[in-house]
């Protein structure tokens, strides 16, 4: 029997490709202030973008809440996540790539897509921190393990070279980009040393390389355990907009059409 749902909606062209809801910001009698994760950072990102006159409430897309029937569909299919719905619901989607640049090794989508050749996973992470899931690592097609304190130049070089190889090995119909900011210097849980400028450059690099191949990209903001990450995420979105990489009608952009190179030339 075909399942009907209200989750899918027509999005007018006047809306930005930014999905947000105030319900993303978690509060509970002030106890959220004791948690290392800034549970209100998404609202802060939106407020920063409003202050910069980039967008207003009427330009945002608000996701609809899944009904109990919707969730039962997911659970009866052994916790299929949103990406698997793409294969069933969206015409033309048969191959996907996950670019996971959160500081931690992914082990959720790895386990979800274990053995699924439609999904290619590239993961760049600090090899010394949680979760160290050896079983989940089997699903990572391109694994880039980093050492404590990895800095901008080495990090960006490895990200660029491995995205290039990933897209050559598996050209997808859609890319899901996990843009974690727990790689930021000073993040005690991430253990890396990437500067705010490095994070902005990383996001630009990913968008240029993916959009340059005419592939749609979905960016999600995940880990990031410092209060200043909200400002960095907002700055990155502003940079992507200024470069024409995002927007209501962003044209496809060549990976090589920037006035400045993505990375400085290698130093002998």
């Amino acid at each position: 029997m075909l399942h009907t749902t209200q989750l899918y909606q027509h999005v007018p062209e006047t809306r930005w490709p930014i999905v947000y809801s105030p319900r993303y910001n978690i509060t509970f009698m002030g106890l959220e202030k004791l948690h290392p994760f800034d549970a209100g950072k998404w609202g802060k990102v939106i407020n920063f973008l409003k202050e910069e006159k980039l967008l207003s409430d009427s330009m945002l897309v608000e996701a609809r809440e899944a009904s109990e029937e919707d969730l039962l569909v997911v659970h009866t299919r052994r916790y299929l996540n949103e990406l698997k719905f793409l294969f069933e619901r969206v015409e033309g989607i048969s191959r996907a790539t996950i670019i996971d640049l959160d500081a931690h090794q992914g082990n959720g989508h790895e386990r979800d897509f274990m053995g699924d050749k439609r999904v290619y996973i590239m993961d760049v992470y600090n090899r010394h921190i949680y979760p160290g899931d050896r079983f989940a690592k089997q699903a990572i097609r391109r694994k880039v393990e980093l050492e404590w304190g990895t800095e901008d130049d080495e990090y960006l070089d490895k990200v660029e070279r491995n995205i290039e190889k990933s897209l050559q090995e598996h050209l997808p119909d859609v890319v899901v980009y996990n843009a974690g900011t727990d790689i930021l210097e000073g993040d005690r849980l991430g253990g890396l040393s990437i500067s705010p400028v490095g994070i902005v450059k990383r996001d630009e690099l990913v968008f240029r390389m993916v959009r340059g191949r005419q592939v749609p990209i979905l960016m999600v903001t995940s880990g990031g355990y410092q209060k200043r990450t909200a400002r960095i995420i907002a700055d990155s979105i502003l940079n992507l907009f200024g470069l024409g990489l995002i927007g209501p009608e962003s044209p496809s952009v060549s990976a090589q059409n920037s006035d400045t190179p993505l990375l400085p030339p290698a130093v002998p």
Side-chain angles (χ1 to χ4, degrees), residues 65-82:
E65 183 176 359
S67 68
E68 182 178 357
E69 290 76 16
D70 293 323
L71 295 176
L72 285 172
V73 171
V74 178
H75 285 286
T76 57
R77 291 178 177 270
R78 300 186 64 174
Y79 298 95
L80 288 179
N81 65 11
E82 183 180 0

mmCIF file of all heavy atoms in Angstrom, residues 65-82:
data_model
loop_
_atom_site.group_PDB
_atom_site.id
_atom_site.type_symbol
_atom_site.label_atom_id
_atom_site.label_comp_id
_atom_site.label_asym_id
_atom_site.label_seq_id
_atom_site.Cartn_x
_atom_site.Cartn_y
_atom_site.Cartn_z
ATOM 1 N N GLU A 65 7.067 18.594 10.412
ATOM 2 C CA GLU A 65 7.309 17.544 11.391
ATOM 3 C C GLU A 65 6.765 16.205 10.889
ATOM 4 O O GLU A 65 5.664 16.128 10.343
ATOM 5 C CB GLU A 65 6.634 17.900 12.711
ATOM 6 C CG GLU A 65 6.900 16.894 13.820
ATOM 7 C CD GLU A 65 6.306 17.328 15.150
ATOM 8 O OE1 GLU A 65 5.702 18.419 15.193
ATOM 9 O OE2 GLU A 65 6.451 16.562 16.126
ATOM 10 N N ALA A 66 7.548 15.155 11.057
ATOM 11 C CA ALA A 66 7.120 13.822 10.640
ATOM 12 C C ALA A 66 5.999 13.326 11.553
ATOM 13 O O ALA A 66 6.065 13.471 12.770
ATOM 14 C CB ALA A 66 8.294 12.858 10.686
ATOM 15 N N SER A 67 4.974 12.770 10.947
ATOM 16 C CA SER A 67 3.871 12.195 11.718
ATOM 17 C C SER A 67 4.266 10.824 12.246
ATOM 18 O O SER A 67 5.286 10.243 11.847
ATOM 19 C CB SER A 67 2.628 12.065 10.843
ATOM 20 O OG SER A 67 2.848 11.085 9.835
ATOM 21 N N GLU A 68 3.446 10.274 13.125
ATOM 22 C CA GLU A 68 3.709 8.940 13.639
ATOM 23 C C GLU A 68 3.721 7.922 12.500
ATOM 24 O O GLU A 68 4.551 7.005 12.467
ATOM 25 C CB GLU A 68 2.650 8.552 14.668
ATOM 26 C CG GLU A 68 2.886 7.177 15.290
ATOM 27 C CD GLU A 68 1.859 6.839 16.347
ATOM 28 O OE1 GLU A 68 0.999 7.695 16.631
ATOM 29 O OE2 GLU A 68 1.906 5.716 16.882
ATOM 30 N N GLU A 69 2.821 8.099 11.517
ATOM 31 C CA GLU A 69 2.774 7.193 10.374
ATOM 32 C C GLU A 69 4.057 7.271 9.559
ATOM 33 O O GLU A 69 4.569 6.259 9.070
ATOM 34 C CB GLU A 69 1.561 7.516 9.489
ATOM 35 C CG GLU A 69 0.216 7.167 10.116
ATOM 36 C CD GLU A 69 -0.214 8.161 11.180
ATOM 37 O OE1 GLU A 69 0.369 9.284 11.224
ATOM 38 O OE2 GLU A 69 -1.120 7.833 11.971
ATOM 39 N N ASP A 70 4.594 8.501 9.402
ATOM 40 C CA ASP A 70 5.855 8.649 8.679
ATOM 41 C C ASP A 70 6.979 7.899 9.397
ATOM 42 O O ASP A 70 7.786 7.200 8.774
ATOM 43 C CB ASP A 70 6.237 10.125 8.555
ATOM 44 C CG ASP A 70 5.297 10.913 7.665
ATOM 45 O OD1 ASP A 70 4.843 10.351 6.648
ATOM 46 O OD2 ASP A 70 5.021 12.081 7.979
ATOM 47 N N LEU A 71 7.062 8.052 10.701
ATOM 48 C CA LEU A 71 8.124 7.412 11.469
ATOM 49 C C LEU A 71 7.994 5.894 11.445
ATOM 50 O O LEU A 71 8.994 5.177 11.416
ATOM 51 C CB LEU A 71 8.094 7.924 12.912
ATOM 52 C CG LEU A 71 8.417 9.408 13.080
ATOM 53 C CD1 LEU A 71 8.261 9.822 14.537
ATOM 54 C CD2 LEU A 71 9.824 9.720 12.595
ATOM 55 N N LEU A 72 6.764 5.404 11.443
ATOM 56 C CA LEU A 72 6.556 3.962 11.371
ATOM 57 C C LEU A 72 7.048 3.400 10.037
ATOM 58 O O LEU A 72 7.526 2.271 9.969
ATOM 59 C CB LEU A 72 5.075 3.623 11.582
ATOM 60 C CG LEU A 72 4.579 3.737 13.026
ATOM 61 C CD1 LEU A 72 3.068 3.573 13.083
ATOM 62 C CD2 LEU A 72 5.264 2.697 13.907
ATOM 63 N N VAL A 73 6.917 4.187 8.997
ATOM 64 C CA VAL A 73 7.448 3.752 7.708
ATOM 65 C C VAL A 73 8.955 3.577 7.812
ATOM 66 O O VAL A 73 9.529 2.591 7.344
ATOM 67 C CB VAL A 73 7.105 4.771 6.595
ATOM 68 C CG1 VAL A 73 7.854 4.421 5.316
ATOM 69 C CG2 VAL A 73 5.608 4.787 6.347
ATOM 70 N N VAL A 74 9.607 4.532 8.447
ATOM 71 C CA VAL A 74 11.058 4.464 8.605
ATOM 72 C C VAL A 74 11.444 3.258 9.452
ATOM 73 O O VAL A 74 12.357 2.502 9.119
ATOM 74 C CB VAL A 74 11.600 5.765 9.237
ATOM 75 C CG1 VAL A 74 13.095 5.670 9.454
ATOM 76 C CG2 VAL A 74 11.277 6.960 8.350
ATOM 77 N N HIS A 75 10.780 3.075 10.566
ATOM 78 C CA HIS A 75 11.144 1.988 11.466
ATOM 79 C C HIS A 75 10.861 0.623 10.854
ATOM 80 O O HIS A 75 11.607 -0.308 11.077
ATOM 81 C CB HIS A 75 10.399 2.148 12.799
ATOM 82 C CG HIS A 75 10.954 3.233 13.657
ATOM 83 N ND1 HIS A 75 12.138 3.112 14.331
ATOM 84 C CD2 HIS A 75 10.497 4.477 13.928
ATOM 85 C CE1 HIS A 75 12.402 4.219 15.001
ATOM 86 N NE2 HIS A 75 11.409 5.069 14.763
ATOM 87 N N THR A 76 9.821 0.492 10.098
ATOM 88 C CA THR A 76 9.547 -0.797 9.496
ATOM 89 C C THR A 76 10.562 -1.136 8.414
ATOM 90 O O THR A 76 10.680 -2.272 8.007
ATOM 91 C CB THR A 76 8.130 -0.833 8.875
ATOM 92 O OG1 THR A 76 8.010 0.218 7.929
ATOM 93 C CG2 THR A 76 7.058 -0.697 9.939
ATOM 94 N N ARG A 77 11.307 -0.178 7.969
ATOM 95 C CA ARG A 77 12.379 -0.415 6.999
ATOM 96 C C ARG A 77 13.746 -0.379 7.688
ATOM 97 O O ARG A 77 14.743 0.021 7.109
ATOM 98 C CB ARG A 77 12.313 0.624 5.884
ATOM 99 C CG ARG A 77 11.103 0.479 4.986
ATOM 100 C CD ARG A 77 11.120 1.602 3.940
ATOM 101 N NE ARG A 77 10.019 1.440 3.018
ATOM 102 C CZ ARG A 77 10.082 0.738 1.889
ATOM 103 N NH1 ARG A 77 11.194 0.113 1.562
ATOM 104 N NH2 ARG A 77 9.040 0.642 1.093
ATOM 105 N N ARG A 78 13.787 -0.787 8.914
ATOM 106 C CA ARG A 78 15.023 -0.879 9.703
ATOM 107 C C ARG A 78 15.772 0.442 9.744
ATOM 108 O O ARG A 78 16.978 0.520 9.487
ATOM 109 C CB ARG A 78 15.921 -1.991 9.161
ATOM 110 C CG ARG A 78 15.271 -3.366 9.197
ATOM 111 C CD ARG A 78 16.229 -4.439 8.802
ATOM 112 N NE ARG A 78 17.329 -4.533 9.767
ATOM 113 C CZ ARG A 78 18.260 -5.481 9.713
ATOM 114 N NH1 ARG A 78 18.238 -6.377 8.753
ATOM 115 N NH2 ARG A 78 19.215 -5.503 10.607
ATOM 116 N N TYR A 79 15.037 1.463 10.142
ATOM 117 C CA TYR A 79 15.630 2.772 10.382
ATOM 118 C C TYR A 79 16.333 3.371 9.161
ATOM 119 O O TYR A 79 17.387 3.993 9.259
ATOM 120 C CB TYR A 79 16.623 2.722 11.554
ATOM 121 C CG TYR A 79 16.012 2.335 12.854
ATOM 122 C CD1 TYR A 79 16.045 1.016 13.282
ATOM 123 C CD2 TYR A 79 15.385 3.286 13.653
ATOM 124 C CE1 TYR A 79 15.467 0.640 14.476
ATOM 125 C CE2 TYR A 79 14.796 2.922 14.847
ATOM 126 C CZ TYR A 79 14.844 1.597 15.266
ATOM 127 O OH TYR A 79 14.259 1.240 16.443
ATOM 128 N N LEU A 80 15.689 3.205 8.016
ATOM 129 C CA LEU A 80 16.222 3.891 6.834
ATOM 130 C C LEU A 80 16.268 5.382 7.121
ATOM 131 O O LEU A 80 15.323 5.955 7.641
ATOM 132 C CB LEU A 80 15.322 3.624 5.619
ATOM 133 C CG LEU A 80 15.369 2.229 5.010
ATOM 134 C CD1 LEU A 80 14.405 2.136 3.845
ATOM 135 C CD2 LEU A 80 16.769 1.898 4.550
ATOM 136 N N ASN A 81 17.379 5.988 6.770
ATOM 137 C CA ASN A 81 17.469 7.422 7.026
ATOM 138 C C ASN A 81 16.975 8.214 5.815
ATOM 139 O O ASN A 81 16.520 7.659 4.816
ATOM 140 C CB ASN A 81 18.907 7.831 7.391
ATOM 141 C CG ASN A 81 19.870 7.635 6.261
ATOM 142 O OD1 ASN A 81 19.485 7.384 5.133
ATOM 143 N ND2 ASN A 81 21.145 7.758 6.565
ATOM 144 N N GLU A 82 17.060 9.504 5.912
ATOM 145 C CA GLU A 82 16.487 10.388 4.902
ATOM 146 C C GLU A 82 17.081 10.144 3.523
ATOM 147 O O GLU A 82 16.395 10.210 2.509
ATOM 148 C CB GLU A 82 16.710 11.853 5.298
ATOM 149 C CG GLU A 82 16.087 12.837 4.341
ATOM 150 C CD GLU A 82 16.323 14.272 4.752
ATOM 151 O OE1 GLU A 82 16.979 14.492 5.780
ATOM 152 O OE2 GLU A 82 15.853 15.162 4.039
#
